[in-house]
PDB file of all heavy atoms in Angstrom:
ATOM      1  N   ILE A 262      -2.063 109.957 -30.464  1.00  0.00           N
ATOM      2  CA  ILE A 262      -1.980 109.036 -29.322  1.00  0.00           C
ATOM      3  C   ILE A 262      -1.975 107.603 -29.865  1.00  0.00           C
ATOM      4  O   ILE A 262      -2.923 107.167 -30.506  1.00  0.00           O
ATOM      5  CB  ILE A 262      -3.161 109.243 -28.354  1.00  0.00           C
ATOM      6  CG1 ILE A 262      -3.080 110.635 -27.713  1.00  0.00           C
ATOM      7  CG2 ILE A 262      -3.169 108.160 -27.275  1.00  0.00           C
ATOM      8  CD1 ILE A 262      -4.226 110.958 -26.780  1.00  0.00           C
ATOM      9  N   ILE A 263      -0.885 106.890 -29.592  1.00  0.00           N
ATOM     10  CA  ILE A 263      -0.749 105.530 -30.155  1.00  0.00           C
ATOM     11  C   ILE A 263      -0.935 104.433 -29.097  1.00  0.00           C
ATOM     12  O   ILE A 263      -1.256 103.291 -29.431  1.00  0.00           O
ATOM     13  CB  ILE A 263       0.613 105.360 -30.855  1.00  0.00           C
ATOM     14  CG1 ILE A 263       1.766 105.763 -29.915  1.00  0.00           C
ATOM     15  CG2 ILE A 263       0.665 106.183 -32.128  1.00  0.00           C
ATOM     16  CD1 ILE A 263       3.134 105.530 -30.514  1.00  0.00           C
ATOM     17  N   HIS A 264      -0.742 104.762 -27.825  1.00  0.00           N
ATOM     18  CA  HIS A 264      -1.044 103.857 -26.708  1.00  0.00           C
ATOM     19  C   HIS A 264      -1.708 104.700 -25.634  1.00  0.00           C
ATOM     20  O   HIS A 264      -1.234 105.801 -25.335  1.00  0.00           O
ATOM     21  CB  HIS A 264       0.221 103.198 -26.151  1.00  0.00           C
ATOM     22  CG  HIS A 264       0.981 102.381 -27.146  1.00  0.00           C
ATOM     23  ND1 HIS A 264       0.493 101.221 -27.705  1.00  0.00           N
ATOM     24  CD2 HIS A 264       2.209 102.574 -27.693  1.00  0.00           C
ATOM     25  CE1 HIS A 264       1.384 100.735 -28.556  1.00  0.00           C
ATOM     26  NE2 HIS A 264       2.432 101.541 -28.571  1.00  0.00           N
ATOM     27  N   SER A 265      -2.758 104.187 -25.054  1.00  0.00           N
ATOM     28  CA  SER A 265      -3.515 105.025 -24.122  1.00  0.00           C
ATOM     29  C   SER A 265      -3.886 104.283 -22.841  1.00  0.00           C
ATOM     30  O   SER A 265      -3.794 103.062 -22.745  1.00  0.00           O
ATOM     31  CB  SER A 265      -4.797 105.530 -24.797  1.00  0.00           C
ATOM     32  OG  SER A 265      -5.632 104.428 -25.134  1.00  0.00           O
ATOM     33  N   ASP A 266      -4.296 105.109 -21.869  1.00  0.00           N
ATOM     34  CA  ASP A 266      -4.928 104.625 -20.635  1.00  0.00           C
ATOM     35  C   ASP A 266      -4.051 103.703 -19.791  1.00  0.00           C
ATOM     36  O   ASP A 266      -4.520 102.688 -19.269  1.00  0.00           O
ATOM     37  CB  ASP A 266      -6.259 103.936 -20.951  1.00  0.00           C
ATOM     38  CG  ASP A 266      -7.293 104.880 -21.525  1.00  0.00           C
ATOM     39  OD1 ASP A 266      -7.038 106.093 -21.551  1.00  0.00           O
ATOM     40  OD2 ASP A 266      -8.357 104.400 -21.971  1.00  0.00           O
ATOM     41  N   ALA A 267      -2.780 104.040 -19.643  1.00  0.00           N
ATOM     42  CA  ALA A 267      -1.930 103.343 -18.671  1.00  0.00           C
ATOM     43  C   ALA A 267      -2.161 104.033 -17.332  1.00  0.00           C
ATOM     44  O   ALA A 267      -1.573 105.073 -17.036  1.00  0.00           O
ATOM     45  CB  ALA A 267      -0.468 103.408 -19.082  1.00  0.00           C
ATOM     46  N   VAL A 268      -3.048 103.465 -16.541  1.00  0.00           N
ATOM     47  CA  VAL A 268      -3.511 104.128 -15.321  1.00  0.00           C
ATOM     48  C   VAL A 268      -2.589 103.821 -14.147  1.00  0.00           C
ATOM     49  O   VAL A 268      -2.239 102.662 -13.902  1.00  0.00           O
ATOM     50  CB  VAL A 268      -4.951 103.699 -14.987  1.00  0.00           C
ATOM     51  CG1 VAL A 268      -5.421 104.352 -13.696  1.00  0.00           C
ATOM     52  CG2 VAL A 268      -5.887 104.065 -16.131  1.00  0.00           C
ATOM     53  N   GLY A 269      -2.181 104.855 -13.429  1.00  0.00           N
ATOM     54  CA  GLY A 269      -1.415 104.707 -12.200  1.00  0.00           C
ATOM     55  C   GLY A 269      -2.215 105.228 -11.029  1.00  0.00           C
ATOM     56  O   GLY A 269      -3.376 105.629 -11.166  1.00  0.00           O
ATOM     57  N   THR A 270      -1.593 105.248  -9.867  1.00  0.00           N
ATOM     58  CA  THR A 270      -2.320 105.674  -8.672  1.00  0.00           C
ATOM     59  C   THR A 270      -2.632 107.165  -8.665  1.00  0.00           C
ATOM     60  O   THR A 270      -3.545 107.606  -7.973  1.00  0.00           O
ATOM     61  CB  THR A 270      -1.513 105.339  -7.399  1.00  0.00           C
ATOM     62  OG1 THR A 270      -0.221 105.953  -7.502  1.00  0.00           O
ATOM     63  CG2 THR A 270      -1.351 103.849  -7.237  1.00  0.00           C
TER      64      THR A 270
END
Side-chain angles (χ1 to χ4, degrees):
I262 295 178
I263 53 176
H264 300 294
S265 63
D266 295 352
V268 178
T270 56

